[in-house]
Amino acid sequence: MSRPVMLITGASAGIGAATARLASPDYDLALNYRSDRDGAAAAARLAEAEGARCVLCPGDVSRAEDRAVIYDALEHAFGRIDVLVNNAGIVDQSAKLTDMTEDRLTRMFNINVIGAMLMAKEAVIRMQAQGDGGAIINISSAAARLGSGNQYVDYAASKAAIDTFTKGLSDEVAADNIRVTSVRPGIIDTAIHAKGGEPDRADRLAPMVPMRRKGTAEEVAEAILWLASQKASYVTGTTLDVTGGR
Ligand code: NAP
């Protein structure tokens, strides 16, 4: 029996790679990455050991030609899509708005918002043509609620856009049985903090979390996989916080 097909963007590291690992007993996987081919290949090897068929889909989700390559690879390998985990995302260095450039904001919104929306658009077109529903899980952030003042209001605003997009798109496609939800991770132990210039950020902030600890990528992946599954068959248009209470 063929398995449902899940496309995970940003599957070479962190939450995306953990989602691939935990999804591998149940799905065939299209694993997108932008630059870390080794990371994506390692995620694929682990998934294949659990019986998943995997295809690597290199590309930057903010580039039209790359999105075409990603979906071409998916279609060539599997010919369908059942779940999109819209996970690829970036932060930038901590800064106040007065120190942010237009280039920085453009890059942030091109990847975190426009890239995610257009990846979802391509998934919806295919799911509607297939005619048997689907699930899109957008990865937002607790920053969407908190605003991230003095850190990165650009990132927080990009994730708030994702939550609003989640609700709006869910209304557009609910009658097609395509469920659209978002997950808002809190302080999660991945390399994203180092990429934002503060490798120990998760440890620094952990005491401020009501549960007094950072979360793991696997804890976020479990929420993503529940939302993707038939166990969440009446859940759409909503966001799920995975934040230890933050
Ligand atoms: P991560 O470890 O830095 O991984 C990010 C992944 O996204 C990598 O696979 C990276 O690929 C990929 N990526 C980045 N830009 C891309 C682009 N333009 N096109 C395609 N892929 C791209 O980060 P993470 O912590 O797992 O974050 C995953 C998601 O969770 C993000 O949307 C992030 O905003 C969100 N989130 C994370 C936290 C946290 O505390 N970790 C909290 C809230 C929300 P390459 O390395 O191959 O370039």
Side-chain angles (χ1 to χ4, degrees):
M1 261 242 320
S2 68
R3 298 161 166 221
V5 175
M6 175 181 283
L7 167 59
I8 305 172
T9 65
S12 58
I15 292 166
T19 303
R21 202 157 54 244
L22 297 186
S24 56
D26 301 312
Y27 294 88
D28 288 330
L29 297 170
L31 303 177
N32 160 253
Y33 65 97
R34 179 184 50 182
S35 56
D36 182 5
R37 186 177 176 82
D38 290 348
R45 272 195 304 278
L46 286 174
E48 283 165 352
E50 292 291 333
R53 291 187 300 154
C54 292
V55 62
L56 297 187
C57 305
D60 180 335
V61 297
S62 71
R63 293 168 53 95
E65 54 273 40
D66 289 15
R67 287 191 299 275
V69 169
I70 293 165
Y71 274 100
D72 280 353
L74 170 119
E75 284 192 349
H76 187 255
F78 302 124
R80 63 178 290 115
I81 179 170
D82 299 284
V83 178
L84 168 64
V85 180
N86 224 349
N87 166 75
I90 57 160
V91 295
D92 208 322
Q93 312 276 315
S94 276
K96 291 186 194 277
L97 178 67
T98 45
D99 293 318
M100 290 181 191
T101 62
E102 184 171 347
D103 281 352
R104 168 178 167 144
L105 267 64
T106 300
R107 175 171 167 266
M108 182 70 62
F109 277 76
N110 275 344
I111 295 173
N112 286 7
V113 182
I114 297 174
M117 290 176 75
L118 291 171
M119 287 300 293
K121 170 185 169 178
E122 294 302 320
V124 165
I125 288 169
R126 287 164 178 78
M127 288 171 184
Q128 285 177 329
Q130 289 163 197
D132 50 5
I136 296 173
I137 300 96
N138 297 315
I139 308 308
S140 172
S141 170
R145 281 190 283 102
L146 300 169
S148 302
N150 300 309
Q151 262 187 82
Y152 24 63
V153 294
D154 53 344
Y155 173 78
S158 76
K159 293 302 188 177
I162 286 297
D163 285 349
T164 303
F165 168 60
T166 294
K167 173 61 183 149
L169 180 62
S170 75
D171 288 343
E172 287 187 11
V173 299
D176 300 313
N177 197 30
I178 300 170
R179 298 180 299 102
V180 186
T181 54
S182 71
V183 169
R184 285 197 202 120
I187 306 294
I188 308 301
D189 189 15
T190 74
I192 200 170
H193 310 290
K195 293 172 189 170
E198 199 188 342
D200 63 351
R201 180 173 178 270
D203 290 317
R204 179 173 64 78
L205 295 177
M208 293 175 215
V209 175
M211 288 185 76
R212 303 284 187 272
R213 68 171 178 86
K214 57 194 176 185
T216 67
E218 286 74 17
E219 287 174 309
V220 180
E222 291 288 5
I224 293 168
L225 292 176
W226 177 73
L227 287 168
S229 77
Q230 279 308 305
K231 292 175 185 165
S233 56
Y234 203 50
V235 180
T236 195
T238 194
T239 65
L240 176 57
D241 284 12
V242 184
T243 61
R246 188 163 180 252

